[in-house]
Amino acid sequence: MSATSLQADQVKQFAVALGFDLCGITTADIAAQSDYYRKWLEKEHHGEMQWLARDPLRRSDPRMVLYGARSVICVALNYYHPRSDHPGRGRIASYALGRDYHLLFEEKLAAFREWLTQQAGGQHKVYVDTGPLLEKSLAARAGITWQAKSTINIHPKFGTWLFLGEILTTLELSPDRPANDHCGTCSRCIDACPTQAITAPYQLDARRCIAYLTLELKGSIPLELRPLIGDKIYGCDDCLEVCPWNRFAKTSRETTLAPTEATNRDLRDYLSLTREQFKNLFSESPILRIKRRGFLRNVCVALGNIGTADDLPALHRLHNDEEPLIREHAAWAIEQIEKRLTPKDKHSIFPFFPNFADS
Ligand code: SF4
Ligand code: SF4
């Protein structure tokens, strides 16, 4: 299948009707960043994300994902909602404060695929960031965003707060021009990164990135990186928040992406969640993905960094948790908080054991 009477403009109009904020089209040729990607894997900057290392050639070439693919329709959705952070609550990346965007994208992209089939036949495959595609590179080539020094994609009118999705299709659609890079001499994101994960412009060592450490890493968080994580318990927005292009950010039309009560609780309150309660609380949230063990591990790290004597009883209870990973991180948090206690704090916690309090 190749030639189609369907025009690129009709495709873009339908994308807008579905609620996407941006839509661009590129050819299904090999992604421009395939060399960089191969070298990135060789340096093992992907850490434990083994699926990224699986079949890199296929990931770089959309035609190996969908035989006969001619075009890639790239879409983006603005997820920005103003947020209010409170001391002691821990920070969750903005994209994860509301409903899981995968659910939202899957619904919209399924409708898009059906429409394309009805309009022009052909074969189509839809993807949201979990697919085997270099989606940031494709979105840049489709002209909807540029891939910035932070490695995040940016649009001049929406800033950095964008979800990306793709439709591979055997239809031949008129491609757009690639986006221009507007980072210029700016380096704010590089300077703002607390773990120096952006090792140079356009270079990310994922193993140091807080998004990787709090979401992708399954085991223990390296001791030397824990203090740098601060109060973050799921992802990190530091390199996004400083980007000057975000001064143009607009509130998303998707109300389901707005922060929910589940993501706005005191850190201490999360410590008592059972597995069942965790599943219920985050049933429609991307946080569900890291399971209770990953989430409480992260909460313990944040409390180790910002917690107070008031958090110690709940952390001590968690120190007996059935999950060894949680026990280890709770012990670390207790140790960190105890190091910060003043003599007055110690006396208020251990009033009947003055010698211990003085230790
Ligand atoms: S998400 Fe955070 S840790 Fe990762 S590169 Fe950006 S600022 Fe650094
Ligand atoms: S902070 Fe500056 S360098 Fe970084 S992505 Fe934004 S514009 Fe580009």
Side-chain angles (χ1 to χ4, degrees):
M1 178 76 201
S2 57
T4 172
S5 57
L6 191 63
Q7 299 299 307
D9 282 350
Q10 291 172 275
V11 171
K12 291 174 192 171
Q13 279 163 18
F14 190 69
V16 172
L18 278 175
F20 290 112
D21 293 286
L22 300 165
C23 178
I25 294 165
T26 184
T27 58
D29 300 330
I30 201 155
Q33 280 207 321
S34 54
D35 277 349
Y36 164 77
Y37 179 55
R38 199 173 31 77
K39 286 181 191 146
W40 185 72
L41 292 173
E42 280 167 12
K43 286 189 270 186
E44 301 194 344
H45 282 183
H46 60 297
E48 284 184 4
M49 297 184 283
Q50 286 310 322
W51 71 92
L52 290 174
R54 230 175 282 139
D55 210 349
L57 191 59
R58 180 168 179 258
R59 191 170 276 274
S60 305
D61 189 345
R63 295 163 300 193
M64 293 182 73
V65 179
L66 174 65
Y67 180 72
R70 306 293 290 266
S71 310
V72 185
I73 303 167
C74 296
V75 289
L77 192 137
N78 166 31
Y79 65 80
Y80 176 74
H81 279 276
R83 57 185 291 162
S84 48
D85 291 322
H86 302 279
R89 292 223 160 146
R91 269 190 297 162
I92 292 171
S94 297
Y95 79 83
L97 291 171
R99 188 175 182 238
D100 189 343
Y101 65 98
H102 293 96
L103 303 172
L104 185 70
F105 260 61
E106 278 160 17
E107 289 159 12
K108 288 184 189 297
L109 289 177
F112 212 150
R113 182 178 47 203
E114 203 173 314
W115 179 82
L116 285 170
T117 308
Q118 278 169 3
Q119 296 294 314
Q123 302 290 315
H124 324 286
K125 275 194 171 180
V126 300
Y127 289 103
V128 196
D129 68 10
T130 48
L133 292 173
L134 295 184
E135 63 171 8
K136 293 177 178 176
S137 182
L138 291 170
R141 200 169 70 197
I144 58 172
T145 53
W146 80 91
Q147 197 171 353
K149 287 183 186 173
S150 60
T151 75
I152 297 294
N153 285 51
I154 301 181
H155 183 274
K157 289 195 180 139
F158 294 102
T160 60
W161 315 110
L162 291 165
F163 293 132
L164 302 177
E166 304 76 37
I167 304 172
L168 267 57
T169 174
T170 52
L171 302 176
E172 187 161 2
L173 297 162
S174 173
D176 289 290
R177 290 160 64 92
N180 291 324
D181 187 320
H182 297 288
C183 281
T185 56
C186 176
S187 61
R188 283 196 207 179
C189 51
I190 299 169
D191 302 338
C193 177
T195 56
Q196 285 87 50
I198 309 172
T199 53
Y202 314 102
Q203 310 273 337
L204 180 78
D205 183 350
R207 296 168 302 180
R208 297 189 65 81
C209 177
I210 293 166
Y212 168 81
L213 295 169
T214 55
L215 274 75
E216 306 297 346
L217 185 70
K218 301 288 174 266
S220 181
I221 296 182
L223 282 173
E224 70 280 11
L225 294 176
R226 291 183 196 178
L228 307 178
I229 290 175
D231 61 356
K232 300 176 188 75
I233 56 173
Y234 191 92
C236 168
D237 279 344
D238 284 7
C239 56
L240 311 184
E241 281 169 351
V242 296
C243 181
W245 288 99
N246 280 334
R247 67 186 182 273
F248 302 118
K250 304 166 183 56
T251 301
S252 171
R253 288 175 288 171
E254 287 293 342
T255 52
T256 59
L257 299 174
T260 63
E261 185 277 328
T263 52
N264 191 17
R265 295 185 176 190
D266 285 344
L267 283 172
R268 204 181 311 149
D269 296 343
Y270 291 126
L271 296 183
S272 57
L273 288 175
T274 63
R275 220 179 292 176
E276 215 47 44
Q277 289 166 335
F278 173 81
K279 274 192 202 161
N280 290 337
L281 186 66
F282 294 119
S283 62
E284 290 225 316
S285 158
I287 294 172
L288 186 68
R289 206 184 126 212
I290 61 168
K291 304 193 173 80
R292 174 182 178 270
R293 75 191 285 275
F295 187 64
L296 291 194
R297 171 199 63 180
N298 298 346
V299 172
C300 287
V301 170
L303 281 172
N305 292 328
I306 65 161
T308 67
D310 294 340
D311 299 309
L312 287 173
L315 281 167
H316 275 291
R317 280 194 292 278
L318 213 56
H319 197 206
N320 294 316
D321 196 82
E322 59 179 10
E323 176 57 64
L325 183 75
I326 295 175
R327 290 204 299 271
E328 186 249 306
H329 286 74
W332 181 83
I334 292 167
E335 196 186 324
Q336 301 307 305
I337 293 174
E338 286 182 350
K339 277 189 211 161
R340 291 196 293 272
L341 291 181
T342 62
K344 197 174 150 210
D345 288 331
K346 290 183 183 176
H347 277 287
S348 65
I349 305 171
F350 310 108
F352 306 114
F353 301 98
N355 291 342
F356 183 73
D358 290 339
S359 64

